[in-house]
Amino acid sequence: MTNHPDMIMGTSQPVARVRLSPSRMLGLGLMALLAIAAIGGPALIGGDPAKQSLLHTLEGPSPAHPLGTDNLGRDMASRLLSGAQLSLSLAFLSVITAGLPGTVLGVAAAWFGGWPDRVLGAFADAVLALPGLLLVLMLAAISPGSWWALYAGISLTLWVEYFRYTRQRARIVLAEPAVEASRLLGLGPWLLIRRHLIPEIGPGLLTVAAFGAATAVTAVAALGFVSVGIRPPTAEWGVMMTELLPYWREAPFLILQPVACLVLTVLALHLSAGGARRP
Amino acid sequence: MSQSIKVEDLSVFAGNTRLLGPVSFAVSPEASLVIMGETGAGKSLIAQAILGTLPASLRADGQIVVNGRDLNTLTPVERAAMWGHELATLPQEPWRALDPLMRAFPQVSETFRHVANMSAAQARRATEYAFETLDLTGAEWRLPGALSGGMAQRVAFAATTAGNAPILLADEPTKGLDAERHDKVVSLLAEVPASGGTLLTITHEVSVARRLGGQVIVLRNGQLVEQGDAETVLTTPASPYTQDLLNAAPQNWPRSKPHTAGEVVLTARDLTLARNGSPLVSGFDLTLRAGERVALTGPSGVGKTTLLDALAGLLSPVRGTVKRAPSLSRTTVQKLYQDPPAAFPPRVPLRLTLQDVARLHGTDWDRVELYLEDLGVHPSLLERRPDAVSGGELQRISIARAMTVGPRILLADEPTSRLDPITQRDTLAMLARVAAKEDIAVVLVTHDPCIASNWADRLIELA
């Protein structure tokens, strides 16, 4: 096979080029739009998500309120954007705080084997034995309505995914003759990680991260909806659903908005994760 | 006489590119056809076209008639119905083709039962008879993973022939077998035409073609190079390529010229080794000198690879010692692998891999390019990833990579057993040349006694 269609010509890029499928492009495009809206949106619209106006409750779209107003006359558009900011920043941060230790510990367990592997594995199993939301609920009970409790709970639950994925894949990669050959050639740990582990495991980790972010977004909304997560009056999609649920007959388009935002975000994350195909 | 397989103007295309052909041949019952050629010559495409198992991206043109039926007129389902009944295939590397969770006996008897439509009692008797004649007694209730390569090949042979199909296709039946098992499989195959069947064998080994006889087809890059009687083609070939192929067989290699070996680079004393708790090598002694070429032979499973790992310092011995000369650092011992693609980081361009090694050992890039040139590797290949170059090219690149370190000892684990004869000869000749130039000691593990005796200065047989 001298004319492999995917060979990299004239580049020293060590990480495999990921071929983007149409669905993945769509997912990444949606995520980019959501991120831009969450970061730049509130400034652009300029509305205060907490400002009430009891004369203008449950209104439909108007020039002043493009997506209408809620039961307390607050601007839906700025509330949704503020909720997006909260959910996405929490998801992004939890991906980092869960992903980094999870990946590092996973590589360590695979690398050293023996008792470090067993201790870390048992720890991960113990975390897994608790249903994910239970840990978040416990932390939320200690410190009700706190963003930090939510963040810590989600990170503590999600690191196991990274750990298990990395450990499993790294064990296989490290046992390959290619790694033995590289060791014999004198490559140190850093080069072994860069040339063998990162190219082999990296693309899959991005997928795990996207699913993890989706889980975080869903968890925030679910806890908000059952009133144990973020508390009113903070604009959060789950909280907004609870607040608008009693008015679903009069103003169905209002409650549909946070639901649509949540569905769209999770869908975008899943699409950007699932379309990954290594060449 | 009627023909059991007749192929006329068979061509295989990928899009508009012709990968194979046109090829025409006809084989009668009680006859044998051997298809020869180097890796990638399109040998397997012929088998796939006959079976109807070509990948969807490829298209076959031409006429194939099997037992009087034109395959072009049959539906895929009708073609599949011929498998096992009229056409049987002996797969490559059968230990990968057998069901890993099914014991040997039921694996064979189910073919008698369901393909040959025997009753359960008949199938059991037939299987018992097959195990007896194939010298498989004792292996009946083992899982394929517990069978040796030769046994797995014979179990696969029993399962393949149980359907009593008159035509047998054997795709590289000797790949990965040691010399003794190699001969056993070839004699099994030779019995097929003798007992009235038709045999089609695909191989890159001249010795197999010679033993089986009959007709021979030589392919190169999908083109028919030569076709005719085995007698004629294998003794007085018309084309220079066939001549080259014949000359490349290890028994025709020139014997290595003895030369004076240098100072001692490695000593192993009273080495006893075990892998996964089972003892393999015991009381092994070796004194290796600079510039020496040592061949290590012995049947599969005797511990050749394990011994090499111990010499490389990758495995600590149960007893005994391996000592490098005091002046030699750890990286002066390098290894060459049987399956070159598995020895390179798969997603990294080859240039980067070589650059890493050169930088670590302070070797000038000019020097690396000199090695590559010496080994006949075109520099543009380095832009590719390991899976995009051929096995022969990659093995030469791996020699260059080892040379970059400045090794004193090269441990080569069957480095050419997956290569065709011409590539094998050229690769080993290059290895010998660079080793001689830099006074490097080479330990070559091989299962081919001709390679061992012609290529090496010294032979060590493990038993």
Side-chain angles (χ1 to χ4, degrees):
Chain A
M1 294 293 277
T2 44
N3 287 319
H4 197 279
D6 287 314
M7 66 197 189
I8 299 176
M9 293 297 289
T11 149
S12 59
Q13 183 66 18
V15 178
R17 217 168 24 177
V18 176
R19 201 192 294 160
L20 294 182
S21 64
S23 67
R24 190 157 199 246
M25 296 279 268
L26 180 69
L28 289 172
L30 279 173
M31 273 321 294
L33 281 178
L34 281 165
I36 291 169
I39 295 166
L44 206 72
I45 289 186
D48 179 354
K51 188 172 166 251
Q52 301 184 3
S53 170
L54 294 176
L55 292 173
H56 302 280
T57 58
L58 302 175
E59 274 181 0
S62 65
H65 305 289
L67 292 175
T69 56
D70 72 357
N71 54 323
L72 296 175
R74 295 173 293 194
D75 180 44
M76 281 298 284
S78 43
R79 285 184 69 72
L80 284 173
L81 286 173
S82 159
Q85 215 168 33
L86 187 142
S87 288
L88 290 181
S89 61
L90 199 140
F92 180 72
L93 287 172
S94 70
V95 161
I96 293 174
T97 43
L100 273 181
T103 310
V104 170
L105 291 176
V107 170
W111 190 285
F112 297 109
W115 67 262
D117 184 28
R118 282 200 295 279
V119 170
L120 286 168
F123 186 40
D125 285 346
V127 174
L128 267 188
L130 289 170
L133 280 180
L134 194 66
L135 194 68
V136 186
L137 276 176
M138 275 156 44
L139 279 165
I142 297 168
S143 163
S146 147
W147 186 91
W148 286 103
L150 210 57
Y151 170 53
I154 289 172
S155 300
L156 277 175
T157 321
L158 285 180
W159 75 273
V160 188
E161 295 295 324
Y162 298 89
F163 170 79
R164 289 182 354 132
Y165 177 80
T166 310
R167 172 179 174 271
Q168 194 57 29
R169 294 276 305 148
R171 268 161 67 107
I172 295 167
V173 172
L174 290 174
E176 283 169 1
V179 172
E180 183 193 286
S182 290
R183 279 200 169 119
L184 272 178
L185 289 160
L187 270 68
W190 174 232
L191 269 178
L192 289 178
I193 288 171
R194 266 181 63 196
R195 300 290 186 246
H196 291 273
L197 287 179
I198 293 178
E200 290 283 296
I201 299 177
L205 269 179
L206 289 181
T207 300
V208 176
F211 283 128
T215 310
V217 170
T218 321
V220 173
L223 293 168
F225 185 71
V226 298
S227 308
V228 287
I230 301 291
R231 292 286 169 90
T234 310
E236 192 278 315
W237 294 341
V239 172
M240 290 169 74
M241 288 178 214
T242 319
E243 288 172 343
L244 291 167
L245 191 57
Y247 309 101
W248 70 275
R249 266 177 207 284
E250 297 108 289
F253 61 94
L254 287 181
I255 183 156
L256 279 179
Q257 290 176 26
V259 172
C261 283
L262 178 65
V263 169
L264 200 67
T265 308
V266 173
L267 184 71
L269 284 165
H270 277 215
L271 282 177
S272 46
R277 292 277 179 283
R278 276 180 296 169
Chain B
M1 199 195 239
S2 71
Q3 272 128 9
S4 38
I5 287 199
K6 200 167 135 215
V7 169
E8 253 183 89
D9 291 328
L10 173 68
S11 299
V12 175
F13 295 90
N16 289 321
T17 331
R18 189 192 288 267
L19 297 180
L20 169 79
V23 180
S24 303
F25 57 83
V27 201
S28 330
E30 302 184 31
S32 151
L33 171 77
V34 179
I35 301 166
M36 291 176 67
E38 59 192 14
T39 325
K43 301 185 300 273
S44 295
L45 290 178
I46 296 184
Q48 290 175 325
I50 291 173
L51 288 168
T53 53
L54 281 173
S57 56
L58 304 184
R59 180 171 54 85
D61 244 26
Q63 199 186 30
I64 303 172
V65 180
V66 174
N67 292 332
R69 290 208 281 168
D70 184 344
L71 296 189
N72 286 335
T73 64
L74 301 181
T75 63
V77 177
E78 287 172 319
R79 294 186 71 169
M82 300 176 84
W83 300 343
H85 299 279
E86 291 179 55
L87 287 167
T89 331
L90 186 63
Q92 279 191 30
E93 306 188 62
W95 41 95
R96 294 188 192 164
L98 294 171
D99 180 347
L101 296 178
M102 199 171 178
R103 292 174 197 281
F105 193 91
Q107 194 132 211
V108 174
S109 71
E110 73 170 358
T111 318
F112 280 117
R113 180 96 174 82
H114 301 292
V115 181
N117 287 320
M118 293 182 176
S119 71
Q122 276 176 320
R124 201 180 57 241
R125 273 198 301 277
T127 312
E128 278 165 3
Y129 181 70
F131 271 68
E132 218 166 279
T133 48
L134 291 175
D135 197 18
L136 281 168
T137 325
E140 286 91 342
W141 300 105
R142 289 205 215 156
L143 289 170
L147 296 172
S148 73
M151 280 177 157
Q153 182 68 279
R154 277 175 281 151
V155 170
F157 184 84
T160 303
T161 50
N164 207 17
I167 302 168
L168 178 66
L169 288 170
D171 194 355
E172 300 276 9
T174 53
K175 195 176 183 181
L177 294 179
D178 61 42
E180 188 193 338
R181 281 161 191 156
H182 184 286
D183 289 347
K184 273 191 184 152
V185 168
V186 177
S187 11
L188 278 179
L189 289 175
E191 277 171 31
V192 172
S195 57
T198 304
L199 177 70
L200 253 77
T201 314
I202 291 167
T203 184
H204 62 232
E205 287 185 68
V206 179
S207 60
V208 173
R210 206 161 254 148
R211 283 275 306 280
L212 294 174
Q215 287 185 68
V216 172
I217 285 180
V218 182
L219 290 178
R220 188 192 191 186
N221 298 328
Q223 299 286 309
L224 187 74
V225 174
E226 196 159 356
Q227 184 168 13
D229 271 357
E231 288 278 298
T232 326
V233 174
L234 299 179
T235 49
T236 51
S239 93
Y241 177 73
T242 315
Q243 186 63 55
D244 205 17
L245 200 66
L246 297 182
N247 291 343
Q251 54 265 41
N252 298 331
W253 294 2
R255 290 216 53 149
S256 74
K257 292 181 201 78
H259 51 270
T260 46
E263 76 280 16
V264 174
V265 285
L266 186 96
T267 44
R269 285 283 159 267
D270 191 27
L271 214 51
T272 297
L273 303 171
R275 185 151 262 178
N276 301 327
S278 53
L280 282 167
V281 179
S282 70
F284 179 83
D285 289 302
L286 173 73
T287 306
L288 197 62
R289 291 171 179 279
E292 219 183 358
R293 298 215 291 269
V294 178
L296 199 61
T297 62
S300 322
V302 77
K304 301 191 291 285
T305 300
T306 309
L307 180 57
L308 224 50
D309 282 353
L311 296 180
L314 292 167
L315 182 88
S316 35
V318 175
R319 206 181 65 227
T321 53
V322 176
K323 279 207 180 84
R324 289 187 301 271
S327 61
L328 301 183
S329 75
R330 195 181 163 81
T331 53
T332 55
V333 184
Q334 288 299 322
K335 211 174 142 185
L336 299 176
Y337 293 79
Q338 181 172 22
D339 190 19
F344 281 85
R347 306 196 188 284
V348 179
L350 293 164
R351 177 184 298 279
L352 190 57
T353 301
L354 289 181
Q355 279 170 343
D356 283 340
V357 178
R359 199 181 54 242
L360 277 172
H361 296 275
T363 312
D364 269 359
W365 184 250
D366 293 348
R367 188 106 178 266
V368 179
E369 283 186 332
L370 222 61
Y371 288 131
L372 289 166
E373 199 188 306
D374 221 13
L375 291 158
V377 177
H378 196 272
S380 70
L381 291 181
L382 297 188
E383 311 305 335
R384 304 186 187 175
R385 288 202 259 153
D387 60 353
V389 302
S390 73
E393 287 163 340
L394 198 56
Q395 194 60 281
R396 279 180 279 151
I397 294 172
S398 78
I399 296 174
R401 177 175 71 164
M403 295 305 293
T404 305
V405 178
R408 305 311 311 150
I409 301 162
L410 275 179
L411 305 170
D413 191 358
E414 306 244 24
T416 56
S417 66
R418 285 164 185 265
L419 306 178
D420 58 85
I422 295 180
T423 316
Q424 163 163 284
R425 176 194 60 189
D426 295 349
T427 308
L428 283 181
M430 284 173 183
L431 175 61
R433 208 178 58 224
V434 290
K437 216 166 163 184
E438 313 247 331
D439 215 19
I440 297 168
V442 185
V443 179
L444 176 80
V445 167
T446 176
H447 61 246
D448 188 323
C450 296
I451 294 181
S453 55
N454 286 339
W455 188 86
D457 317 324
R458 186 147 69 98
L459 189 67
I460 297 173
E461 258 189 276
L462 291 182

